[in-house]
Amino acid sequence: MMYAPYLARPTTVSTVMFKVLAALLPAIATSVWVFGVGVLVQLALASVTALVTEALMLRARAVPVAPFLKDGSALLTAWLLALSMPPLGVWWLIVVATAFAIVFGKQLYGGLGNNPFNPAMVGFAMAIVAFPAQMAAWGIPHGPLSALDQLGWIFARELPAHLTLDAISSATPLDYLKTHIAPDMSATQVMASPLFGHFGGAGSEWVAFAYVAGGLYLLQQKVIAWHTPVAMLGALGLIAALMHLADPWYYSGAPFHLAAGATMLAAFFIVTDPVSAPVSARGRLIFGAGVGVLVYVIRVFGGYPDAAAFSVLLMNIATPLIDRYTRPPSFGAANRKRKEKSR
Amino acid sequence: MRQLYRFHGGIHPPEFKELSNGTPIVSPPLPARLVVPVSQHLGAPAKPCVAVGEAVLKGQLIACADGRVSAAVHAPTSGRVVAVGEADVAHPSGLLQTCISIETDGLDAWIEKTPLPNWQEADNETVRAFLRDMGVVGQGGAVFPTALKLGVSHLDTLIVNGAECEPFISCDDRLMRERAQEIVEGVRIAGTLTGAREMLIGVEDNKPEAIAALTAACAGTPIEVVSVPTLYPSGGAKQLIRILTGKEVPHGMRSTDFGVQCFNVGTLYSLKRAIVDGEPVISRIVTLTGELERCGNAEVLLGTPVEHLLAWAGVNTRCDGVIVGGPMMGFPLESRVAGVGKAVNCLIARSDTLLPPRPPAMPCIRCGACADACPAQLQPMELYWHAKAREFGPAQEANLFDCIECGACSYVCPSQLPLVDFYKFAKDEIWAAERDKKAADRARARHEFRQFRIERDKTEKAERLAARAATPAPAATPDAAKADAIRAAMAKAAERKADVAPPTEDAKRAAIKAAMARAAAKKAEQQDAGTPPKPALDDAKRAAIEAAMARAAAKKAEQQGTATSEAEAVPAPAPKPAIDDTKRAAIEAAMARAAAKKAEQQSTATSEAEAVPASAPKPAIDDAKRAAIEAAMARAAARKAEQQGAAAAEAEAAPAPAPKPAIDDAKRAAIEAAMARAAAKKAEREAQKGQDPQP
Ligand code: SF4
Ligand code: SF4
């Protein structure tokens, strides 16, 4: 017979992972609406790659395949990665990135629970370092390509005769801002371009809202804790606001930074990955704030326009240290200390 | 409304209390035989004071409290003592313990009752001695002698624990509903004895009837009944103290340091019965629940075999085991013939329908759910990593010993990890290491003293010789000296012979035990690993080795001089002849280890490198060494059995597609084996049961 406790909450790792996957659905739907079915293609490619790679790696590690495939973690990595990548990126890009994420980001460290880095971000960082050109071409929101044309473009890089590359893709708002800001061009003026939509980017800002919606669901379900997202968004918003206050010409405000790029995806789905983040509440606050600050610094002063991946990876490195120094005091520890002192 | 405080974490498991809390307490029929353990409390087991064949009356003292930290045991009914000896008891260790078996005579005839009517005039010491002799102990689970907890005065708050937070259990609930008046009387007595400024009874708000009954009974008294929010484990003493007073009693400190003392309602009920009615503790309320036809609460005579209660309540065929205590902190019952003790508050007839087995465990995903649930404010995942990696130092740094083993972490873990097993394992390992260290320190001290003595004797002898050489030698010196030397040598030989010839009881016993340990450990190893038996040493060789060991032990006894130092390292209850009971392997191995260490100490002078497996018996000079090796082998075998299990525990991180009973059992066996080594538990019985989950 088993040992106590004999009662257990029926929640399993799969339950958790599938709830996170479900929370991504609004964002996926919005993405498809904004960027087209290319998003679904990316998701499908990533999913298949992730599951196949995971299965092969599990087999190679002589670990039972079925329970780990069913846990949903590989699928989640795939989806997060696919949603971070350009919706119209060439097919092999997502395949390579996903395989890299699973193999080098997760399985080589010992699989589920043992990866020090967020696997999706490992894949993304690899892609942006190794294939910067392919990663730079984002589809323009509500672009002119039909569904079929999108498939043709993703798989064969073939465009309909009447269209050019420029007509279907553009820089991301973050990129655009970075390259266009100048002494004679203020941030506000740059952001007047239709590319920027209302807050952070035409179309993509709606996707950001969808991430928030998903995140709220996860908070409500107690799948994620509030600490990391709040700390990250707070730090990023605060630093952006302060910089904007200091020099509004060069530095755009908090709303833009919060709505632009992968901020919301990172805040609710990436930094909340439990495996690669600290475990204590205090640790999570530090971790989230660190990511927020790094995102701003890399975006504004660094070489890469979007910075979520690198920020998360950098803070992942610090996780063990944070864990070490943020262990909460145990029950009655204050009293124990007082007693020791009085001796 | 009184201000209540929150403790960190806590969980809301399904309650299952409605199974048993709807019907009044009943008395099961008298069993034909009671098996009353003499150790139903924390501390020294009571000493049996009745002889086999003796007739006893209900309430008669049958085992006296042994020392301060102990409690007496009484005959639960009238009858005849038919046995005093080891028997199965309902204890997590599953070990046999001394029990007094009584054949009931059906008369249920009381001895003259001896209340303490003038307890208010009597001094505290007298009342406490009385309670100890009436066998009053904590009934919440820890069975700490109540007398000891009453040795305080000017208490701020006396807390009475009626929270009963564990699922399934409803014995306190029924007791509070039906006997509120007596509980309140007990509270009043305890409050007076401790000089308590305020007296609070904390009851979880899922027991409104109990709260109502107590409130009515408390009318006109200074005692306050406090309804506390239902949240497991609010019934933990520290948690309840926190809820009611806001005080946090850390691990390693007593609640009385904070002016608080906590008693269970059942305890104070039995205290009242003892002082006012003169009835010693001979029964307790036990919740019988789970896969039974008639769930409910019964007033069970101590020593009533579990089997008897189950048969009376009607066990469903689905039932495949019995849990003693609640589903969160209980333990599986090893043997249904075991008698109910003062700690047994609940028996759950379990089945997979009632308590579905956990899904296969996955690796920890660091989700932090466990930390959110932990009432001790620990980081359970951290404790788990350290325990799993056998990093006991860091585990202690992470406050392993603050863990109250409530199981809340394990309950919420999405990876379905049996976290508490790992904590128990780590604690036992640490305790075992400490014991080993202490034993080694003692042995070293002895060895050093011996070396010192030899040196001293040598120098004294040299001085004597020098002194003698300085005096002028008589004519016959050479011959006389030779004769002296011969005589001395003969005397020495004779002395040695004399020492060997009548080997002391201890020496013999040590040798037998070492041999038994070796055999048992080997057997255990084979059972655990499921491998075919290894080619054994041939009998002659073994006999030689054993003889050598006996000699070695004899020599050792001689060298150590006293039997007392022996008894220290080998606490030897009279060994049962022909025990091949595998569950003893661990104890025996531990003893063998101690013996080995001792023997090793003696042979250290020669060389440590000699400690390689002996292939053939060598001349008698090496006896001590060989004994050491033998014992070391026994120890290694035991350890191997444990490690095989540990390896399986490792494999738990990579679970099989379907829950494999074998892996599970091996993992259990690992923890069990370690626990056995440490706390003398039953590793091998578990292993034996490998394929059969039914006890
Ligand atoms: S609840 Fe389980 S999986 Fe989550 S951190 Fe704790 S041990 Fe790990
Ligand atoms: S079993 Fe120990 S670690 Fe787990 S929740 Fe209870 S006190 Fe905390």
Side-chain angles (χ1 to χ4, degrees), chain B residues 381-399:
Chain B
M381 74 300 266
E382 222 182 313
L383 297 177
Y384 160 71
W385 304 325
H386 292 317
K388 197 172 142 203
R390 305 178 70 93
E391 297 163 356
F392 300 129
Q396 269 176 286
E397 264 165 51
N399 300 316

Side-chain angles (χ1 to χ4, degrees), chain B residues 44-60:
Chain B
K47 278 192 293 212
C49 56
V50 284
V52 175
E54 203 173 309
V56 290
L57 288 170
K58 182 172 183 140
Q60 182 179 334

Side-chain angles (χ1 to χ4, degrees), chain A residues 43-66:
Chain A
L43 280 166
L45 285 171
S47 302
V48 172
T49 310
L51 291 175
V52 170
T53 320
E54 177 104 335
L56 290 176
M57 286 304 288
L58 288 169
R59 173 94 43 93
R61 287 175 50 219
V63 165
V65 175

Side-chain angles (χ1 to χ4, degrees), chain B residues 378-604:
Chain B
L378 303 176
Q379 298 276 292
M381 74 300 266
E382 222 182 313
L383 297 177
Y384 160 71
W385 304 325
H386 292 317
K388 197 172 142 203
R390 305 178 70 93
E391 297 163 356
F392 300 129
Q396 269 176 286
E397 264 165 51
N399 300 316
L400 171 68
F401 283 97
D402 285 27
C403 167
I404 57 170
E405 296 177 15
C406 68
C409 50
S410 196
Y411 175 81
V412 298
C413 178
S415 292
Q416 304 288 341
L417 289 163
L419 296 168
V420 184
D421 290 4
F422 283 91
Y423 310 150
K424 287 184 177 157
F425 159 75
K427 287 180 185 177
D428 286 334
E429 283 291 286
I430 292 166
W431 284 326
E434 270 168 18
R435 265 198 300 277
D436 279 2
K437 189 176 170 300
K438 265 189 206 137
D441 286 349
R442 269 203 301 275
R444 190 176 316 114
R446 267 200 303 271
H447 173 69
E448 276 161 10
F449 179 69
R450 204 175 86 85
Q451 293 298 101
F452 161 77
R453 211 180 51 208
I454 291 169
E455 279 303 305
R456 187 192 57 193
D457 289 355
K458 243 190 239 161
T459 26
E460 278 176 4
K461 200 170 166 192
E463 276 164 10
R464 261 203 318 277
L465 283 176
R468 205 189 298 168
T471 60
T477 300
D479 272 332
K482 209 186 272 171
D484 264 358
I486 290 166
R487 223 179 299 131
M490 274 164 64
K492 218 192 256 167
E495 190 184 309
R496 194 159 53 211
K497 212 162 153 194
D499 272 321
V500 174
T504 62
E505 244 351 83
D506 270 336
K508 219 187 268 173
R509 200 148 52 201
I512 292 166
K513 280 194 175 282
M516 269 167 25
R518 192 167 39 107
K522 194 174 277 166
K523 195 166 165 191
E525 173 198 349
Q526 283 158 1
Q527 275 166 351
D528 220 22
T531 52
K534 284 181 192 165
L537 293 167
D538 65 79
D539 282 346
K541 202 192 276 177
R542 194 182 313 157
I545 291 170
E546 268 157 31
M549 278 162 56
R551 273 199 304 275
K555 195 181 273 173
K556 179 174 61 187
E558 166 208 343
Q559 283 163 346
Q560 254 137 35
T562 58
T564 43
S565 66
E566 190 78 26
E568 196 180 312
V570 186
K576 276 186 171 179
I579 299 169
D580 75 335
D581 200 347
T582 52
K583 76 187 161 191
R584 299 192 144 230
I587 319 171
E588 303 288 0
M591 288 172 160
R593 201 165 29 161
K597 234 166 234 164
K598 220 184 261 170
E600 269 162 9
Q601 290 300 331
Q602 280 149 4
S603 58
T604 330

Side-chain angles (χ1 to χ4, degrees), chain A residues 72-84:
Chain A
S73 61
L75 209 54
L76 181 58
T77 298
W79 285 25
L80 292 174
L81 186 52
L83 291 170
S84 319

Side-chain angles (χ1 to χ4, degrees), chain B residues 175-212:
Chain B
L175 189 75
M176 290 186 285
R177 289 194 210 185
E178 298 176 31
R179 304 178 191 177
Q181 198 61 52
E182 288 181 273
I183 294 173
V184 169
E185 218 169 318
V187 177
R188 216 168 43 79
I189 298 173
T192 312
L193 290 173
T194 53
R197 206 173 43 76
E198 65 178 344
M199 293 171 266
L200 308 175
I201 308 180
V203 186
E204 272 193 351
D205 58 14
N206 59 358
K207 291 179 267 294
E209 299 90 346
I211 294 174

